Amino acid sequence: MNISLLRCGALLCALGGLLAGSISLAADVPYFTDNGYGNPVSTMQHPEGEYFQGVTYVTFQGPHEDPYVAAYNHITGQWLGPVRVGVNTMGKSPDQIDPGELDNHGRPALFIDGQGYIHVVFGAHGGDPVYGVDRFGTPGKGRLTHVISTQPDEISTWKTYYLTSPFATYTQWVRTPNGDLYLFYRHGSHRSDWVYQKSVDGGRTFAPEVSVLKSKISSFSRTTHDAWYAWFDNGKGNTITAHYVYHPCADFPNHTSMRENLYYMQMDGRDGSWTNVQGAPLALPVTKEYADQHTIILNSGKNKTHRGVAHVDPAGNPQIIFALRRKLYFVRWLGHAWQAPVPVEAAGQGRLGLGDFIVDSSTRIRALLTSNHDGVGEVGWWNSDDGGLTWTKGRVLLAVKGSSFVATSFIRYANPDALMVVSETVHGQGNLYHHLYLIGDKGPIGRPAAGASNLGDRLQKLKLLPKGTPKEDAKRRKKKNALLKAGDEN
Ligand code: ZN
């Protein structure tokens, strides 16, 4: 590949984006690929990128919902890939145009071991019952698949392994400074425990599952199960934080997407023990009743919550950005109590979407979030200097009229030039493909148009698909709108 890459600065890329459509004359495009598919990235499966020895590696869901990896070399300024690294058994052919036909739960998560081998897990929405008995819940679809690059620091060839349970959803890698590696995930579909499997040899072998959050028949209704949405990441030192929301999983047809409350606890990676925020020991797995007693931050009543992202301040006190009534809120532990949750927003700046945040000190917090106002999609900083009590809009790193963005959580050990990947949806686009941007403090890291063009004749082929009857089209539109409205993980 002949690459003479020009990095585009924030302003140029922002302008380039605003002129999208006429940008093809420029040598650069601000995105690194055009073949993100369905919901190609999320903060949930994480990390979706890692920086290692001068290179940022990223993963995303591409055509056929298969996992892809691309790499940006910060020293030479060159992009490699994206390359397909495995096959998602939940993928459908030909390319779909109905978002309801995609599963999206098989989205990949990535980590790099000490020798520089790149690992990606993907391909499961709970795991198909054909793979055995799900001892921690109810199986679903697909099979958790683990691929490892055959060479260190190299993304062209991969080998497939099955090293963990097949029954996984929402895979999350956490590595502690002592070198231990954890894969956290939900062990099946809704009615399943959240578990982890630990590896002490860089992801080549894993210990059996340890259940963290218990799914069971609820104490208030025989037709409802306790279920959870959780997010795990590094705390202080070898600590791992967990924050989560409760899902009352009712039998059909009474099932809803309700999520309630907000909870927090932490694990000491040295001995696997868990404590609540006050430091009191916890008995695992945590049930709904036990969580209400020992780990609750917020009783949201009838208001819907969503899990978010969490980090700790230098003293180890957790801070969380989560959603309440579909608005982003910030909450932090003051050492003796939770500060009351406050909205992360400034008047007139539109609706914010989840991204990730950096805790510089107990009071100085910088969040990199997506937003939408007046028809302009943005990715930019939101800052607080008073411990999250008030927020101001900071620098905008990417702005495109007529688009909106979805972010990953931060790339692990990120270079400031490459903090996260965002997926672009152009309003009214007639297909499920998305431009993906690698974005950092200087804006997106673009590349020559040829390298970013990876769809081949897929869009032309979509146009040749037989059209549905008016009735089928109406049904599809209705389903699509319902999906857009819900926007929930499930
Ligand atoms: Zn449910």
Side-chain angles (χ1 to χ4, degrees), residues 90-296:
M90 296 186 293
K92 290 181 177 173
S93 294
D95 289 1
Q96 304 294 305
I97 49 169
D98 178 353
E101 292 296 325
L102 271 54
D103 187 280
N104 289 311
H105 291 76
R107 205 184 285 127
L110 173 151
F111 93 97
I112 299 168
D113 68 27
Q115 281 77 48
Y117 291 92
I118 304 134
H119 299 236
V120 176
V121 286
F122 65 92
H125 184 182
D128 194 286
V130 74
Y131 299 114
V133 176
D134 183 344
R135 293 185 300 121
F136 295 92
T138 49
K141 289 195 289 178
R143 180 186 196 179
L144 191 67
T145 307
H146 187 144
V147 294
I148 306 177
S149 63
T150 55
Q151 301 292 326
D153 316 324
E154 232 281 316
I155 64 169
S156 57
T157 52
W158 298 75
K159 196 165 175 210
T160 300
Y161 302 84
Y162 301 98
L163 303 174
T164 55
S165 168
F167 303 111
T169 313
Y170 302 132
T171 41
Q172 305 175 25
W173 294 112
V174 183
R175 184 162 34 180
T176 47
N178 62 7
D180 293 341
L181 175 74
Y182 298 82
L183 184 64
F184 286 88
Y185 57 92
R186 190 180 69 193
H187 203 283
S189 46
H190 288 203
R191 295 175 172 188
S192 304
D193 293 6
W194 285 75
V195 305
Y196 70 82
Q197 289 189 253
K198 181 177 177 178
S199 173
V200 295
D201 59 3
R204 300 286 168 162
T205 61
F206 289 83
E209 303 93 322
V210 176
S211 177
V212 174
L213 290 169
K214 184 79 189 153
S215 177
K216 63 172 180 58
I217 294 173
S218 82
S219 56
F220 57 87
S221 164
R222 296 298 299 172
T223 58
T224 299
H225 275 64
D226 298 329
W228 308 94
Y229 289 85
W231 201 83
F232 303 84
D233 201 15
N234 292 94
K236 188 182 180 188
N238 293 307
T239 301
I240 294 173
T241 67
H243 80 279
Y244 44 101
V245 297
Y246 174 71
H247 166 50
C249 188
D251 286 354
F252 287 96
N254 298 318
H255 188 267
T256 72
S257 64
M258 188 61 184
R259 288 106 169 84
E260 301 168 0
N261 305 346
L262 182 68
Y263 304 85
Y264 173 84
M265 60 190 185
Q266 62 220 349
M267 180 170 89
D268 185 337
R270 291 171 304 181
D271 59 7
S273 65
W274 289 79
T275 50
N276 67 7
V277 76
Q278 290 91 350
L282 296 175
L284 272 281
V286 166
T287 63
K288 170 66 162 58
E289 295 73 27
Y290 194 79
D292 284 342
Q293 207 177 346
H294 297 287
T295 70
I296 195 161

Side-chain angles (χ1 to χ4, degrees), residues 31 39 57 104 108 141 216 219 233 276 291 307 334 339 380 395 408 428 469 483 488:
Y31 49 89
N39 300 340
Y57 299 87
N104 289 311
K141 289 195 289 178
K216 63 172 180 58
S219 56
D233 201 15
N276 67 7
R307 62 88 209 162
L334 299 169
Q339 180 171 287
R395 215 149 51 84
T408 63
T469 64
L483 278 172
D488 281 324

Side-chain angles (χ1 to χ4, degrees), residues 324-385:
L324 174 64
R325 295 187 300 265
R326 297 205 174 275
K327 271 188 181 172
L328 292 187
Y329 276 72
F330 174 85
V331 65
R332 73 176 175 123
W333 177 249
L334 299 169
H336 61 279
W338 291 100
Q339 180 171 287
V342 292
V344 184
E345 60 177 20
Q349 297 296 341
R351 179 59 63 95
L352 298 182
L354 191 59
D356 207 339
F357 67 100
I358 296 169
V359 182
D360 290 322
S361 70
S362 60
T363 53
R364 163 93 181 148
I365 307 131
R366 293 177 288 145
L368 187 54
L369 304 172
T370 64
S371 61
N372 226 290
H373 65 93
D374 303 324
V376 179
E378 291 183 350
V379 184
W381 290 106
W382 297 77
N383 305 315
S384 177
D385 285 313

Side-chain angles (χ1 to χ4, degrees), residues 25 29 38 68 106 150 200 311 313 327:
L25 292 176
V29 289
Y68 282 69
T150 55
V200 295
H311 299 291
D313 71 15
K327 271 188 181 172

Side-chain angles (χ1 to χ4, degrees), residues 36-94:
Y37 184 55
N39 300 340
V41 297
S42 164
T43 53
M44 184 55 137
Q45 286 90 345
H46 74 99
E48 287 178 319
E50 184 165 328
Y51 174 87
F52 184 77
Q53 296 184 348
V55 179
T56 297
Y57 299 87
V58 297
T59 189
F60 64 90
Q61 175 174 289
H64 191 261
E65 302 186 58
D66 288 338
Y68 282 69
V69 170
Y72 176 73
N73 187 319
H74 291 260
I75 298 152
T76 64
Q78 291 183 340
W79 275 99
L80 280 178
V83 297
R84 189 175 73 152
V85 302
V87 177
N88 182 345
T89 59
M90 296 186 293
K92 290 181 177 173
S93 294

